[in-house]
């Protein structure tokens, strides 16, 4: 792999954010309010905000939904940057951007992998799921590890499907890398792709259906 200049990484991230928007945005402006590190405490605070929003007292619900949102925020920009620009951003400095779920990368760094889809998938997985797993290690709410792994897989495939809709010319690469990622580390066995446009069926449930007014997600194992 070859290192990429920080300004090139930042430009690639800005490009995918402007083209794809939403969860693909990863700010690179180095402003630093107090304690914005990506920690389990920050995730717990966001989990409580979810519980407050849905008026539920079941801690696992907020923890799982907040975790799923974080996973989407991590997978989306890295996957898009890797497949559109061939650059895998380093997420070692990723932090919260304000009080919501948005993230920021104050020191953009990255690498340009070479080789087959499996090598690219390994590089993406190390940056994204590695960060996510580290945050999970300190969660005080007891949530099943396979549920959290399923959340990560669901967020990955959701991000890939959105990228595929926006860039159909990348269909082959998106599908191959996504499939490789689903066979990597703890994502193995979390679910399966069921359609050409990356329809997905996970083998666990994010618990959203247990929130007042909640329902079953499209990839939920409980959907018949």
């Amino acid at each position: 792999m070859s290192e990429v200049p920080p300004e090139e990484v930042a430009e690639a991230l800005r490009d995918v954010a402007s083209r794809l928007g939403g969860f693909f945005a990863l700010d690179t402006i180095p402003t630093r309010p107090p304690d914005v590190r990506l920690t389990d405490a920050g995730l717990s605070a966001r989990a409580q905000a979810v519980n407050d929003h849905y008026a539920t007292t079941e801690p696992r619900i907020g923890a799982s939904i907040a975790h799923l949102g974080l996973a989407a925020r991590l997978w989306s920009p890295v996957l898009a940057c890797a497949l559109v620009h061939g650059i895998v951003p380093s997420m070692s400095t990723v932090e919260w951007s304000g009080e919501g779920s948005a993230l920021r990368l104050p020191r953009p760094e990255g690498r340009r992998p070479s080789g087959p889809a499996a090598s690219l998938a390994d590089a993406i997985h190390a940056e994204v799921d590695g960060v996510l797993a580290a945050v999970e290690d300190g969660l005080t709410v007891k949530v099943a590890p396979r549920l959290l792994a399923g959340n990560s897989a669901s967020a990955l495939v959701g991000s890939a499907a959105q990228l595929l809709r926006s860039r159909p010319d990348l269909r082959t690469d998106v599908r191959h890398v996504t499939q490789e990622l689903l066979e990597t580390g703890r994502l193995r066995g979390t679910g399966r792709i069921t359609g050409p446009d990356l329809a997905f069926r996970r083998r666990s449930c994010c618990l959203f259906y247990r929130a007042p007014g909640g329902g079953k997600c499209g990839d939920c194992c409980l959907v018949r």
Side-chain angles (χ1 to χ4, degrees):
M1 295 190 183
S2 59
E3 298 294 324
V4 179
E7 60 274 15
E8 188 174 345
V9 179
E11 179 55 38
L13 288 168
R14 284 193 294 269
D15 178 66
V16 297
S18 65
R19 292 173 183 270
L20 303 172
F23 278 75
F24 290 89
L26 184 61
D27 196 359
T28 58
I29 299 174
T31 56
R32 186 177 289 277
D35 196 12
V36 293
R37 294 170 298 169
L38 196 65
T39 63
D40 52 282
L43 183 59
S44 295
R46 285 155 179 81
Q48 184 58 54
V50 171
N51 277 7
D52 292 344
H53 176 78
Y54 288 104
T56 177
T57 58
E58 187 174 352
R60 292 187 308 150
I61 295 174
S64 177
I65 295 173
H67 174 270
L68 183 58
L70 173 61
R73 291 284 189 178
L74 288 166
W75 282 115
S76 296
V78 177
L79 188 67
C81 198
L83 288 170
V84 174
H85 292 282
I87 297 171
V88 178
S90 169
M91 302 298 279
S92 61
T93 64
V94 69
E95 58 188 30
W96 301 110
S97 181
E99 297 182 355
S101 61
L103 301 176
R104 176 172 57 235
L105 195 65
R107 295 197 301 275
E109 299 174 348
R111 297 169 294 166
R112 196 181 297 278
S114 58
S119 299
L120 181 58
D122 284 341
I124 296 171
H125 181 272
E127 295 298 342
V128 177
D129 205 60
V131 170
L132 196 60
V135 175
E136 294 165 15
D137 281 345
L139 277 177
T140 57
V141 177
K142 186 176 178 60
V143 183
R146 292 307 289 169
L147 185 157
L148 296 175
N151 280 354
S152 184
S154 178
L156 159 66
V157 181
S159 299
Q162 179 59 46
L163 177 59
L164 183 59
R165 285 190 287 271
S166 299
R167 290 291 304 269
D169 57 305
L170 296 176
R171 172 176 294 274
T172 299
D173 289 342
V174 172
R175 284 185 56 85
H176 283 178
V177 170
T178 302
Q179 189 63 62
E180 289 289 346
L181 281 164
L182 289 174
E183 295 295 328
T184 303
R186 65 172 180 160
L187 300 187
R188 185 178 293 110
T190 53
R192 61 188 179 88
I193 293 173
T194 60
D197 294 324
L198 297 181
F200 184 64
R201 177 59 57 89
R202 59 184 286 180
R203 294 192 172 96
S204 60
C205 174
C206 72
L207 305 179
F208 180 56
Y209 82 100
R210 295 178 64 88
K216 297 183 179 73
C217 304
D219 63 0
C220 184
C221 63
L222 301 178
V223 174
R224 293 290 183 265

